[in-house]
Amino acid sequence: MKRLYEVNFLVKLVAAFLVMAAAWLVASPWPAVLIAALVVLLLCVTRVPGLGGYLKGAAILVAMVLVTWSINLGLQGQPLAEALPTAVRMAARLVATTAAFFFVMETSTPGSILAAASAARFPPMATLVLSLVFGIIPMLREEFLRIADAQRARGMEIDGVPFHTRLRYALARGIPLLVQSIRMAQAISTALAVNGFDAATKRTTWRQVGLLVEPRLPLNEVRKP
Amino acid sequence: MLAIEDLVVAYQGQDVLHGISLQVEPGCGALVCGAGASGKSTLLATACGVVPRLVNAERVTGRLQLGERDFAEIKRAELFSRVGIVFQNLDDQLFDLEVEDVVAAPLENRGVPRAEIRARLAELFEELAIQDLGGRRVLTLSGGERRMAVLAGALAARPELLVLDEPTTGLDPAARLRLERSLSAVRDRIPLILAADQDAASLAGAMGRIHLLQAGQLAGSWPTAEALALRTPWLEAGLLPPRRQERPVRAGAAAGGRVLLAVEGLRTRLTRPNGEPVLHDVTLELRAGEVTGLVGRNGAGKSTLIQTVLGLAPLAAGRIVIEGEPAERWTAARRARRVGYLPQNMRRMLFNLSVLDEIAFSVGGSTATIGDPEIRARAARALAPFGLADKAEASPFALSAREQALLGLACLDAAGCAVAILDEPLLARDRQGRAMLDLFLRRSHEAGRAVLLISHDLELIDDLCPRLLILADGRIAADGPTEGGWASPAFQALGWPAPEAPWRIAS
């Protein structure tokens, strides 16, 4: 199933848009729930990195949508039997959408995105923007975890403490995360500049790109100059 | 030819370079050596156009010429297509790409056809012996492996001028030798090479001339062979001479104190691409007052070992005993209060807003006590021995790499941990930095602390560590007195020259 990770980023992106459109276009709640369940099943079967975190977030999202929509519609005079299916449909739409794009984001490396966009002869600036939008979020998440590890390695007890303390420490990571985000943006811009990135020149790629994007160079099969 | 004439660069009202003039001749690489903060990185960044094209300086005057043309006449895109650059801190030029992407980037950006890029990648991977890195995310590599990937990227486009800032940092001796050979081999294809490194001997075979930089001024220039034979100019420039005259008295020579850290049969859950655990049977002991050196190839698992001991990487099997207590179930923070760690890149360990806050955190062990006046006073006192008293209010992120390493030492010392692990401290060849390292080791010895020093600088290990550990094939392959370690089968298997080996000189 890991071969699904290698599917061309643009194909995954189109598929995610189609899933989102289907979830939002269906009129009744249960087909939307079915779509959401199928996408979450896909995440589980393919063991997408960060799945545990996503499922926690999705569970909180579902609970919040069900409660707030039911209350809101109830205050507007709808009986619970009518309000609840509407809330379920909305929660399912959101889960289907976020899960589909989570799959795209977590299974596409910035390199594979650059390759797919370069092979499609996208303008260099569009290639760059796509790569950054989808590539930087996992990088920031890893940076957040890395800062937590740095805090642990310096002796800050962030594991065996009550939830509110853990939350406070997590919020305290905001400042170093901001500093690192700025550095990361600077590193990306510097890397592009010193490697001769030029918005006027269309990029090529070392990867074979088709329905799948080659994840590594088969050194034995390449003819050396 | 690269010609630099009367170059002055100033930041924040202070001249960093004072009228530097030097020339890099085709086929005759130039190596700039100098102590920390002597201006090496600024000189290199200006010589390749990063300053002021990408990084602003308050003032840049003088003349720089590449070939027949002034830098000012060359457009940015053209300049960076003619120059290959490797920065000292790789975090400044890397993001989360696969290794092939990093190496291929300059070619892809120039629109080179796929077949040509692939052939070039295959050639470079073989030349630099980095085939095992293929397909791996660059941010998951060890420091030395990352540097090899970036070096391959800089060589890929065969630039006219190659600028390398501390290229040997984090490289094991075999990788240094491969780098030196590669630089020698590409001299006909890459005519101009300008490098800065504190370890002159490692690059000697590829460089024709050495320039010594002292406080932003050129202190002298010599043909490489001549420079390596000198002593006084190196000492005056704040560096240890490339040829060791004598070995200093080692701190912690009288070992044999109680065991402070014991690792038994450690196996990691982290595996290599072939499914084998990175470490499968590591057993070692660190004793009070002892300084132990640890060496191993790039990617041997040294950092993984430390991460596992610290509780940051999962343990599959084995025991970790800290000060006599089983610590496998301890949280990482609890372990860290006994086992302090100075990583290769200290910037990764910083999370406070000022230098004083960082050390106050180490003194108090909590963010809650950072504001306590007594803790702050102790923290301020702890900064002084490491020469950071005047930086107390500075942002730790704004310090130089060397200053951050010193801050790391100060934090470790102030935290009073039983065990200190120093991972490739960036202080080895700089006299002042080495003095600080010696100070830390002396204080550790007096405090009965055990120190584990991880480094690829074999002379540093030989100078400072009475005991040597060699990590190979997922286990400790040799453990004993350092002199014997250099003659052990495990060290022979690495194929590295022992510290006493004669230096190779450029012909």
Side-chain angles (χ1 to χ4, degrees):
Chain A
M1 291 302 273
K2 297 262 172 173
R3 288 285 278 180
L4 280 176
Y5 291 13
E6 294 168 22
V7 170
N8 189 318
F9 164 75
L10 298 174
V11 174
K12 284 190 270 189
L13 195 60
V14 169
F17 270 109
L18 291 176
V19 166
M20 180 179 73
W24 286 82
L25 287 175
V26 291
S28 55
W30 303 118
V33 170
L34 182 65
I35 293 170
L38 286 174
V39 185
V40 171
L41 186 66
L42 174 75
L43 297 185
C44 296
V45 170
T46 56
R47 296 183 180 183
V48 172
L51 179 63
Y54 172 77
L55 291 177
K56 275 186 210 164
I60 294 170
L61 177 74
V62 168
M64 283 171 61
V65 169
L66 289 181
V67 171
T68 55
W69 275 64
S70 299
I71 293 172
N72 192 0
L73 293 174
L75 291 174
Q76 289 175 43
Q78 273 195 18
L80 186 62
E82 282 178 31
L84 201 56
T86 309
V88 167
R89 192 176 57 175
M90 178 52 67
R93 285 168 168 172
L94 290 173
V95 170
T97 304
T98 53
F101 283 96
F102 181 76
F103 179 81
V104 177
M105 206 167 62
E106 290 297 328
T107 60
S108 308
T109 64
S112 69
I113 300 171
L114 280 170
S118 300
R121 307 302 286 166
F122 279 18
M125 208 44 85
T127 302
L128 177 63
V129 169
L130 265 180
S131 178
L132 290 185
V133 166
F134 283 87
I136 208 161
I137 294 171
M139 281 168 71
L140 285 177
R141 194 192 56 217
E142 278 172 27
E143 197 58 40
F144 187 75
L145 297 175
R146 192 200 57 69
I147 295 167
D149 272 352
Q151 291 177 329
R152 289 184 183 100
R154 295 276 308 278
M156 187 187 276
E157 193 60 83
I158 57 177
D159 297 309
V161 292
F163 177 74
H164 63 89
T165 312
R166 222 181 313 168
L167 186 66
R168 189 160 58 83
Y169 286 154
L171 291 174
R173 270 173 241 155
I175 291 166
L177 185 66
L178 182 68
V179 171
Q180 284 304 109
S181 308
I182 294 166
R183 292 203 74 97
M184 202 184 287
Q186 199 178 6
I188 292 170
S189 123
T190 306
L192 290 169
V194 300
N195 284 322
F197 179 85
D198 184 357
T201 307
K202 284 207 171 170
R203 297 181 84 253
T204 49
T205 173
W206 63 269
R207 297 177 197 248
Q208 300 283 3
V209 179
L211 179 62
L212 299 181
V213 175
E214 196 180 25
R216 64 179 295 174
L217 183 69
L219 288 166
N220 297 335
E221 297 165 23
V222 177
R223 188 180 297 172
K224 296 184 199 77
Chain B
M1 186 175 73
L2 172 73
I4 301 170
E5 205 179 303
D6 203 20
L7 179 66
V8 176
V9 179
Y11 292 110
Q12 296 170 344
Q14 204 173 3
D15 284 1
V16 179
L17 298 178
H18 311 265
I20 300 277
S21 297
L22 67 84
Q23 292 187 343
V24 183
E25 305 282 351
C28 177
L31 179 63
V32 178
C33 298
S38 60
K40 298 188 299 294
S41 293
T42 303
L43 173 60
L44 264 63
T46 315
C48 64
V50 166
V51 174
R53 307 265 177 135
L54 302 179
V55 177
N56 285 329
E58 189 179 287
R59 186 161 52 98
V60 179
T61 61
R63 192 166 175 217
L64 289 109
Q65 259 188 316
L66 183 58
E68 298 298 314
R69 290 167 67 195
D70 265 17
F71 266 36
E73 296 168 10
I74 306 173
K75 288 188 174 160
R76 188 170 109 164
E78 186 198 335
L79 179 65
F80 290 124
S81 70
R82 294 171 65 184
V83 178
I85 305 166
V86 177
F87 292 128
Q88 180 183 6
N89 189 342
L90 297 180
D91 286 355
D92 289 341
Q93 70 183 115
L94 278 180
F95 61 109
D96 192 19
L97 296 171
E98 273 89 1
V99 170
E100 287 94 331
D101 296 315
V102 171
V103 182
L107 302 170
E108 291 176 332
N109 289 335
R110 288 162 178 75
V112 174
R114 174 184 298 136
E116 206 177 310
I117 301 179
R118 291 165 77 89
R120 187 84 188 100
L121 289 184
E123 183 189 36
L124 272 167
F125 274 51
E126 189 179 311
E127 190 175 308
L128 296 173
I130 54 171
Q131 296 94 329
D132 290 347
L133 306 187
R136 291 177 63 188
R137 305 277 279 266
V138 74
L139 295 186
T140 66
L141 303 180
S142 73
E145 290 170 335
R146 281 184 201 193
R147 194 162 292 277
M148 288 307 281
V150 176
L151 282 164
L155 294 171
R158 292 180 179 153
E160 194 177 329
L161 167 65
L162 182 61
V163 174
L164 309 169
D165 194 354
E166 303 279 356
T168 63
T169 302
L171 297 189
D172 67 36
R176 287 177 190 205
L177 200 59
R178 285 199 300 277
L179 172 64
E180 187 192 44
R181 282 183 189 148
S182 296
L183 292 178
S184 301
V186 298
R187 272 191 290 208
D188 54 337
R189 285 169 274 155
I190 302 177
L192 305 172
I193 300 177
L194 176 62
D197 211 301
Q198 289 193 2
D199 184 5
S202 285
L203 290 175
M207 297 293 167
R209 202 163 180 85
I210 290 180
H211 305 269
L212 279 183
L213 199 60
Q214 187 179 352
Q217 289 180 311
L218 267 189
S221 301
W222 301 268
T224 301
E226 214 175 292
L228 292 181
L230 297 172
R231 177 174 165 80
T232 311
W234 293 89
L235 293 172
E236 285 174 355
L239 290 170
L240 298 177
R243 286 185 181 159
R244 248 183 340 171
Q245 306 294 311
E246 58 197 15
R247 189 167 58 202
V249 177
R250 293 162 171 163
R258 70 189 178 101
V259 176
L260 297 180
L261 173 68
V263 174
E264 292 169 27
L266 179 145
R267 190 171 78 236
T268 55
R269 208 178 290 165
L270 190 67
T271 56
R272 297 194 184 278
N274 64 7
E276 289 281 308
V278 174
L279 302 172
H280 60 81
D281 182 21
V282 172
T283 297
L284 62 90
E285 282 182 352
L286 299 181
R287 292 176 178 276
E290 191 179 37
V291 183
T292 306
L294 173 66
V295 300
R297 285 197 176 101
N298 285 132
K302 300 182 294 295
S303 297
T304 304
L305 171 61
I306 305 314
Q307 299 274 314
T308 311
V309 168
L310 290 173
L312 301 175
L315 180 74
R319 295 187 68 209
I320 296 170
V321 181
I322 300 174
E323 293 191 278
E325 297 179 61
E328 300 91 64
R329 291 179 184 277
W330 289 8
T331 62
R334 187 173 171 198
R335 296 185 204 193
R337 288 194 283 273
R338 311 270 187 98
V339 182
Y341 175 50
L342 175 70
Q344 285 178 25
N345 185 352
M346 183 60 197
R347 194 159 77 191
R348 296 185 152 261
M349 298 290 275
L350 304 170
F351 51 85
N352 288 293
L353 290 177
S354 75
V355 168
L356 190 62
D357 286 354
E358 285 291 350
I359 198 157
F361 174 81
S362 292
V363 172
S366 162
T367 47
T369 56
I370 281 180
D372 183 320
E374 193 190 327
I375 298 266
R376 289 185 87 74
R378 277 173 56 198
R381 284 197 298 277
L383 281 175
F386 293 93
L388 293 170
D390 59 336
K391 302 276 182 187
E393 297 308 322
S395 163
F397 296 98
L399 300 182
S400 69
R402 181 171 160 279
E403 288 168 336
Q404 284 177 348
L406 291 176
L407 175 60
L409 286 183
C411 287
L412 278 186
D413 196 39
C417 300
V419 179
I421 299 174
L422 313 181
D423 191 354
E424 199 76 61
L426 293 171
L427 304 160
R429 295 266 156 197
D430 177 313
R431 282 178 78 198
Q432 200 188 351
R434 178 68 81 88
M436 295 296 166
L437 192 55
D438 288 342
L439 171 73
F440 175 80
L441 295 180
R442 224 170 28 248
R443 291 168 74 109
S444 294
H445 184 59
E446 285 161 13
R449 184 182 298 143
V451 178
L452 181 66
L453 175 60
I454 304 170
S455 181
H456 293 304
D457 185 337
L458 304 184
E459 268 191 24
L460 177 78
I461 297 279
D462 197 52
D463 279 352
L464 302 179
C465 307
R467 182 178 154 213
L468 177 67
L469 303 175
I470 299 174
L471 183 67
D473 304 323
R475 63 193 181 86
I476 298 293
D479 179 355
T482 302
E483 284 75 11
W486 304 132
S488 68
F491 186 77
Q492 304 294 325
L494 293 173
W496 298 351
E500 290 80 7
W503 301 113
R504 287 154 287 102
I505 307 298
S507 59

